[in-house]
Amino acid sequence: MHENGGAADAEYLSERFSTDADDAAGSWSDYLYRRQGSVGLGFGAGEFNSDAYAQNVGQFQVVRFTSGALDYQRSRRDVRCDGDNSYRLLIPLDGRFMFEQGESREVFEPGRVCFFHWGRPLWMTHSETISALILTVPERSVDPARAETGPLALDEKRPLVRALRSQVRTLVEEEGWTAADFSVACTSALTLLDGALNPSPGVGSGRRALDAERARRLIEAHAHDPRVTPEAIAAMLGIGERTLYKVMRSSGYPSPGALLRTIRVERAHRRLLVALPVDMDRIAFEEGFPSTRRFREAYREYYGLTPVQMRARVLGTRAQPGTEAPESAVS
């Protein structure tokens, strides 16, 4: 079945905001609720003002903001009211703030990157004016297991984290965005984030560790070929399939079959989250799936939604008539 995912109704939107001179606190509270969700604010006795510049395509959103001294608290009640299980990336541009979530508490200033779960209580405070970027990370747009265990402060010594910071800044510093270009740039940032949350197991010493690393590289290089199976990878290495499973497991990798599926479905996912029409059959074939049906099955098992449903949720598009297969065909 030929299945197309339309994205003609995806829109790039931008908005500039400044607090109301007559009700600065109230207008900032309303703006945060509209752009981010429920959060309690603690204003000091002094004068407060803030401004922001927001851009989005569906759930892909980045906001550059400047804010006077303020306390933020997202309670369990706020979390329950929103039902929002997405994440946020917070990048300071000027000033410093303290952030706490769960058992983690960190002080952030320019050069650091904060990664946190919007679906959990949090607390943030700054006693001075700060400027920062906040990128919405839609639910399941990065690997859920990696996001669940991700650190509050990403390791700024890693080049990948510095590249991530630079990519998010590009989103607000460049002009002339279209829906397609903005979604590509956001997807690129999320790919960097996914990598920053998932450092590869270190290559140990010994023959098994080297075989596992060679196997991983072969799987990544050949995942687009539907003819490639764990048996084929083992043959390329000159070892038995059972031995391949053992060396992968002992080195901390998933099984060869699971790694193949994960690489294929994640690569397809990145291609889907671009605000352009896509051909599901072509994506399935080019990313190594034997059929479009198998692609949809693997995608729904991994992300909890069909490809068309995910595009509609993240990009804010409507599924076109005839683009979604019946549930019986993908169950």
Side-chain angles (χ1 to χ4, degrees), residues 268-279:
H269 177 68
R270 288 193 288 270
R271 293 178 63 176
L272 286 168
L273 298 188
V274 175
L276 287 171
V278 296
D279 186 327

PDB file of all heavy atoms in Angstrom, residues 268-279:
ATOM      1  N   ALA A 268      14.442   6.459  10.515  1.00  0.00           N
ATOM      2  CA  ALA A 268      13.167   6.761   9.860  1.00  0.00           C
ATOM      3  C   ALA A 268      12.428   7.863  10.616  1.00  0.00           C
ATOM      4  O   ALA A 268      11.832   8.760   9.999  1.00  0.00           O
ATOM      5  CB  ALA A 268      12.307   5.500   9.799  1.00  0.00           C
ATOM      6  N   HIS A 269      12.478   7.817  11.937  1.00  0.00           N
ATOM      7  CA  HIS A 269      11.813   8.817  12.771  1.00  0.00           C
ATOM      8  C   HIS A 269      12.329  10.212  12.475  1.00  0.00           C
ATOM      9  O   HIS A 269      11.545  11.165  12.343  1.00  0.00           O
ATOM     10  CB  HIS A 269      12.051   8.455  14.247  1.00  0.00           C
ATOM     11  CG  HIS A 269      11.480   9.426  15.223  1.00  0.00           C
ATOM     12  ND1 HIS A 269      10.128   9.610  15.393  1.00  0.00           N
ATOM     13  CD2 HIS A 269      12.080  10.278  16.099  1.00  0.00           C
ATOM     14  CE1 HIS A 269       9.916  10.516  16.328  1.00  0.00           C
ATOM     15  NE2 HIS A 269      11.091  10.945  16.766  1.00  0.00           N
ATOM     16  N   ARG A 270      13.644  10.364  12.341  1.00  0.00           N
ATOM     17  CA  ARG A 270      14.209  11.680  12.048  1.00  0.00           C
ATOM     18  C   ARG A 270      13.722  12.200  10.696  1.00  0.00           C
ATOM     19  O   ARG A 270      13.492  13.404  10.534  1.00  0.00           O
ATOM     20  CB  ARG A 270      15.738  11.619  12.092  1.00  0.00           C
ATOM     21  CG  ARG A 270      16.294  11.473  13.503  1.00  0.00           C
ATOM     22  CD  ARG A 270      17.777  11.734  13.551  1.00  0.00           C
ATOM     23  NE  ARG A 270      18.559  10.677  12.947  1.00  0.00           N
ATOM     24  CZ  ARG A 270      19.027   9.622  13.609  1.00  0.00           C
ATOM     25  NH1 ARG A 270      18.759   9.461  14.890  1.00  0.00           N
ATOM     26  NH2 ARG A 270      19.759   8.710  12.989  1.00  0.00           N
ATOM     27  N   ARG A 271      13.553  11.317   9.741  1.00  0.00           N
ATOM     28  CA  ARG A 271      13.071  11.735   8.426  1.00  0.00           C
ATOM     29  C   ARG A 271      11.589  12.125   8.471  1.00  0.00           C
ATOM     30  O   ARG A 271      11.139  12.986   7.703  1.00  0.00           O
ATOM     31  CB  ARG A 271      13.290  10.616   7.409  1.00  0.00           C
ATOM     32  CG  ARG A 271      14.750  10.340   7.130  1.00  0.00           C
ATOM     33  CD  ARG A 271      14.941   9.199   6.162  1.00  0.00           C
ATOM     34  NE  ARG A 271      14.374   9.479   4.843  1.00  0.00           N
ATOM     35  CZ  ARG A 271      14.478   8.673   3.802  1.00  0.00           C
ATOM     36  NH1 ARG A 271      15.133   7.512   3.929  1.00  0.00           N
ATOM     37  NH2 ARG A 271      13.947   8.988   2.639  1.00  0.00           N
ATOM     38  N   LEU A 272      10.840  11.504   9.356  1.00  0.00           N
ATOM     39  CA  LEU A 272       9.411  11.792   9.452  1.00  0.00           C
ATOM     40  C   LEU A 272       9.132  13.166  10.051  1.00  0.00           C
ATOM     41  O   LEU A 272       8.119  13.791   9.740  1.00  0.00           O
ATOM     42  CB  LEU A 272       8.721  10.729  10.309  1.00  0.00           C
ATOM     43  CG  LEU A 272       8.525   9.351   9.679  1.00  0.00           C
ATOM     44  CD1 LEU A 272       8.106   8.358  10.739  1.00  0.00           C
ATOM     45  CD2 LEU A 272       7.488   9.419   8.570  1.00  0.00           C
ATOM     46  N   LEU A 273      10.010  13.631  10.943  1.00  0.00           N
ATOM     47  CA  LEU A 273       9.735  14.877  11.655  1.00  0.00           C
ATOM     48  C   LEU A 273      10.258  16.093  10.904  1.00  0.00           C
ATOM     49  O   LEU A 273      10.868  16.989  11.474  1.00  0.00           O
ATOM     50  CB  LEU A 273      10.334  14.806  13.066  1.00  0.00           C
ATOM     51  CG  LEU A 273       9.757  13.713  13.955  1.00  0.00           C
ATOM     52  CD1 LEU A 273      10.270  13.851  15.373  1.00  0.00           C
ATOM     53  CD2 LEU A 273       8.232  13.714  13.930  1.00  0.00           C
ATOM     54  N   VAL A 274      10.012  16.124   9.623  1.00  0.00           N
ATOM     55  CA  VAL A 274      10.334  17.257   8.763  1.00  0.00           C
ATOM     56  C   VAL A 274       9.036  17.704   8.107  1.00  0.00           C
ATOM     57  O   VAL A 274       8.270  16.874   7.615  1.00  0.00           O
ATOM     58  CB  VAL A 274      11.377  16.869   7.700  1.00  0.00           C
ATOM     59  CG1 VAL A 274      11.615  18.030   6.745  1.00  0.00           C
ATOM     60  CG2 VAL A 274      12.691  16.464   8.365  1.00  0.00           C
ATOM     61  N   ALA A 275       8.790  19.001   8.126  1.00  0.00           N
ATOM     62  CA  ALA A 275       7.510  19.524   7.648  1.00  0.00           C
ATOM     63  C   ALA A 275       7.454  19.575   6.127  1.00  0.00           C
ATOM     64  O   ALA A 275       7.278  20.625   5.515  1.00  0.00           O
ATOM     65  CB  ALA A 275       7.259  20.905   8.242  1.00  0.00           C
ATOM     66  N   LEU A 276       7.599  18.427   5.506  1.00  0.00           N
ATOM     67  CA  LEU A 276       7.435  18.232   4.075  1.00  0.00           C
ATOM     68  C   LEU A 276       6.665  16.944   3.860  1.00  0.00           C
ATOM     69  O   LEU A 276       6.713  16.039   4.722  1.00  0.00           O
ATOM     70  CB  LEU A 276       8.798  18.127   3.375  1.00  0.00           C
ATOM     71  CG  LEU A 276       9.618  19.415   3.223  1.00  0.00           C
ATOM     72  CD1 LEU A 276      11.014  19.073   2.719  1.00  0.00           C
ATOM     73  CD2 LEU A 276       8.935  20.387   2.271  1.00  0.00           C
ATOM     74  N   PRO A 277       5.937  16.803   2.751  1.00  0.00           N
ATOM     75  CA  PRO A 277       5.296  15.515   2.475  1.00  0.00           C
ATOM     76  C   PRO A 277       6.336  14.401   2.421  1.00  0.00           C
ATOM     77  O   PRO A 277       7.446  14.607   1.930  1.00  0.00           O
ATOM     78  CB  PRO A 277       4.646  15.735   1.101  1.00  0.00           C
ATOM     79  CG  PRO A 277       4.470  17.214   1.003  1.00  0.00           C
ATOM     80  CD  PRO A 277       5.647  17.809   1.709  1.00  0.00           C
ATOM     81  N   VAL A 278       6.001  13.260   2.976  1.00  0.00           N
ATOM     82  CA  VAL A 278       6.916  12.128   2.954  1.00  0.00           C
ATOM     83  C   VAL A 278       6.217  10.909   2.360  1.00  0.00           C
ATOM     84  O   VAL A 278       5.003  10.769   2.439  1.00  0.00           O
ATOM     85  CB  VAL A 278       7.440  11.781   4.370  1.00  0.00           C
ATOM     86  CG1 VAL A 278       8.273  12.910   4.933  1.00  0.00           C
ATOM     87  CG2 VAL A 278       6.288  11.435   5.308  1.00  0.00           C
ATOM     88  N   ASP A 279       7.007  10.047   1.777  1.00  0.00           N
ATOM     89  CA  ASP A 279       6.530   8.803   1.203  1.00  0.00           C
ATOM     90  C   ASP A 279       6.919   7.672   2.153  1.00  0.00           C
ATOM     91  O   ASP A 279       8.094   7.327   2.279  1.00  0.00           O
ATOM     92  CB  ASP A 279       7.169   8.605  -0.179  1.00  0.00           C
ATOM     93  CG  ASP A 279       6.620   7.386  -0.916  1.00  0.00           C
ATOM     94  OD1 ASP A 279       6.275   6.399  -0.246  1.00  0.00           O
ATOM     95  OD2 ASP A 279       6.562   7.431  -2.155  1.00  0.00           O
TER      96      ASP A 279
END
